[in-house]
Amino acid sequence: MTEEKVNKKRIYSAIQPSGQLTLGNYLGALRNFPKLQSDYDCVYCIANMHSLTVRQEPAELKERIYSLLALYLACGLDPQKNVLYLQSHVHEHAELAWILNCYTYNGELSRMTQFKDKSSKHADNINAGLFTYPVLMAADILLYQSDFVPIGQDQKQHLELSRDIADRFNRLYGKTFVIPNPLLSRQGAKIMSLQDPDKKMSKSDTNTSNFVLIVEDPSSIIKKFKKAVTDSGSEVRYDEENKPGISNLINIYAAVTDKNVIEVEHEFENARYGEFKAAVGEAVVSALTPVRERYAQLMQDKGYLDEVLKDGRMKASEIASVTLKDVYEKVGFVV
Ligand code: ATP
Ligand code: LTN
């Protein structure tokens, strides 16, 4: 264990570079990461190995890796305080994943709802990686002896499996892995689609009116909010069941302005839907503008991004190699 780990609990999370990130990713995940950097020892990964479970265009994947790193930095993650690294730079991930594959049952993997969803979405490419994906995710988390893993609701089942695998291994060989706990984002952090507020805002949505990107042009953001689906009635009032469109917009406004739902309802007591939608668009633009500007600067400086990756690779490997060596010894490999 590293020295910092003795004093601080470790946070570990990862995002796949499989598309451009949305306002949903920002409010549900990214925006919360910098808040943890002083109190925890944080490790954030760009999970490019996971992305290969779905076909990727190589040049695009490469660009998206830089883009995700630039977003981590633009959102306020300080590379001195956090370890920011690329998964494929640390070979221990693939090695531990192989070992853990031998301690995971097919029955467990076939119960994973994401596997079922993705196999139906990509019926022409149900590859073995898609099936064993949760084992690689367990390897990510367990290599770093992570105490807490900030994730969305959709990843809870994978985290449960990581805990089961860690516990199984620890029982067989003695304490090897820290058992990780989920850190679920606040309730308001489930951002819904702008045109179809019954489903989650998602970066892989084929209808671009359903989401706004973190780095989207302000005029396009304003337009999308003006077009956002609302409900019958005319009151700006929170009611998830009967007014899902307005409730989603209230949630977004509350999140980007750091207000609560009651304050937002009060502020727009006498407003029409049109006025409210324009205000939400403006508030989102103000929240995202500094991130977009910083992102654009960072993307101009690939040399700097490469340096951050190099440093992250070194720090991550240092932690990961200790865990893998212990695992190799425990299972009886000659090290
Ligand atoms: P995909 O569309 O490719 O399935 P996604 O946009 O749903 O991707 P992920 O890459 O699976 O996003 O998730 C990255 C992080 O963003 C996760 O922590 C996830 O919980 C969070 N997240 C994704 N979508 C939302 C959303 N609509 N609201 C809040 N948080 C979200
Ligand atoms: N499966 C996650 C991304 C991911 C992850 C991880 C999250 C890969 N490895 C380790 C937390 C910890 C996703 O698709 N959002």
Side-chain angles (χ1 to χ4, degrees):
M1 286 190 194
T2 57
E3 230 170 87
E4 303 102 278
K5 178 77 172 113
V6 175
N7 305 318
K8 287 182 179 176
K9 295 279 187 197
R10 177 161 293 142
I11 296 263
Y12 184 95
S13 200
I15 298 181
Q16 293 190 57
S18 51
Q20 284 192 287
L21 301 202
T22 68
L23 179 67
N25 298 128
Y26 178 69
L27 295 176
L30 266 185
R31 182 176 85 135
N32 305 316
F33 293 171
K35 297 178 193 157
L36 304 163
Q37 63 194 358
S38 316
D39 298 334
Y40 296 93
D41 172 20
C42 303
V43 181
Y44 295 108
C45 167
I46 300 171
N48 60 328
M49 290 163 70
H50 278 92
S51 299
L52 278 197
T53 53
V54 173
R55 288 278 173 271
Q56 304 288 334
E57 212 282 300
E60 264 178 34
L61 179 58
K62 198 167 189 177
E63 194 59 17
R64 281 203 236 100
I65 288 170
Y66 284 111
S67 172
L68 182 50
L69 176 63
L71 273 181
Y72 275 158
L73 297 166
C75 287
L77 283 181
D78 178 348
Q80 305 296 326
K81 290 190 182 159
N82 306 270
V83 179
L84 306 176
Y85 78 102
L86 182 63
Q87 189 181 28
S88 61
H89 277 170
V90 180
H91 59 80
E92 284 84 358
H93 287 256
E95 291 177 68
L96 183 61
W98 171 254
I99 304 276
L100 298 182
N101 265 318
C102 302
Y103 296 84
T104 308
Y105 299 109
N106 270 17
E108 290 176 306
L109 293 175
S110 48
R111 281 196 289 278
M112 296 292 118
T113 54
Q114 184 176 295
F115 171 68
K116 294 185 216 165
D117 287 353
K118 294 229 165 161
S119 330
S120 62
K121 265 198 205 156
H122 303 278
D124 55 336
N125 181 23
I126 306 179
N127 59 70
L130 204 57
F131 190 62
T132 58
Y133 172 117
V135 183
L136 179 59
M137 179 162 160
D140 299 343
I141 297 167
L142 301 181
L143 268 179
Y144 297 87
Q145 307 291 353
S146 316
D147 298 287
F148 297 106
V149 183
I151 38 160
Q153 202 65 36
D154 53 326
Q155 297 299 318
K156 240 184 110 186
Q157 198 187 24
H158 289 163
L159 191 84
E160 273 304 316
L161 181 65
S162 303
R163 290 168 58 91
D164 291 345
I165 298 172
D167 183 57
R168 186 171 301 149
F169 197 97
N170 284 351
R171 280 172 198 274
L172 282 167
Y173 300 104
K175 176 100 174 60
T176 309
F177 300 119
V178 168
I179 308 287
N181 289 296
L183 203 64
L184 286 165
S185 49
R186 289 167 303 116
Q187 244 220 324
K190 186 161 187 201
I191 304 303
M192 310 308 281
S193 151
L194 296 183
Q195 293 299 319
D196 187 357
D198 290 323
K199 69 176 199 203
K200 188 183 95 146
M201 182 180 286
S202 160
K203 60 175 138 65
S204 56
D205 202 313
T206 45
N207 178 359
T208 56
S209 302
N210 279 337
F211 56 74
V212 297
L213 299 176
I214 299 180
V215 297
E216 193 159 329
D217 180 58
S219 61
S220 167
I221 295 182
I222 302 272
K223 243 190 257 162
K224 285 186 183 176
F225 276 101
K226 282 191 179 152
K227 277 198 323 197
V229 160
T230 42
D231 323 275
S232 55
S234 57
E235 252 182 301
V236 177
R237 187 170 44 79
Y238 195 86
D239 177 350
E240 251 178 60
E241 206 163 300
N242 300 306
K243 293 159 87 72
I246 282 292
S247 301
N248 186 37
L249 296 178
I250 293 179
N251 258 338
I252 294 175
Y253 187 83
V256 295
T257 56
D258 272 327
K259 291 180 179 159
N260 64 41
V261 167
I262 310 281
E263 286 170 318
V264 180
E265 284 178 336
H266 192 64
E267 188 176 340
F268 292 95
E269 221 163 25
N270 300 312
R272 276 195 265 253
Y273 280 175
E275 274 167 72
F276 176 55
K277 290 203 277 185
V280 181
E282 296 288 350
V284 168
V285 167
S286 329
L288 294 181
T289 292
V291 180
R292 189 185 64 252
E293 289 174 354
R294 178 100 186 93
Y295 168 85
Q297 283 170 354
L298 287 158
M299 284 302 275
Q300 296 298 315
D301 194 353
K302 294 267 166 70
Y304 172 67
L305 297 179
D306 277 325
E307 262 172 50
V308 173
L309 284 181
K310 191 172 154 200
D311 186 50
R313 168 191 216 145
M314 218 176 60
K315 291 180 184 155
S317 301
E318 215 174 281
I319 308 170
S321 61
V322 175
T323 303
L324 189 72
K325 184 165 177 276
D326 185 30
V327 169
Y328 275 7
E329 271 168 359
K330 294 238 166 82
V331 298
F333 289 177
V334 174
V335 291

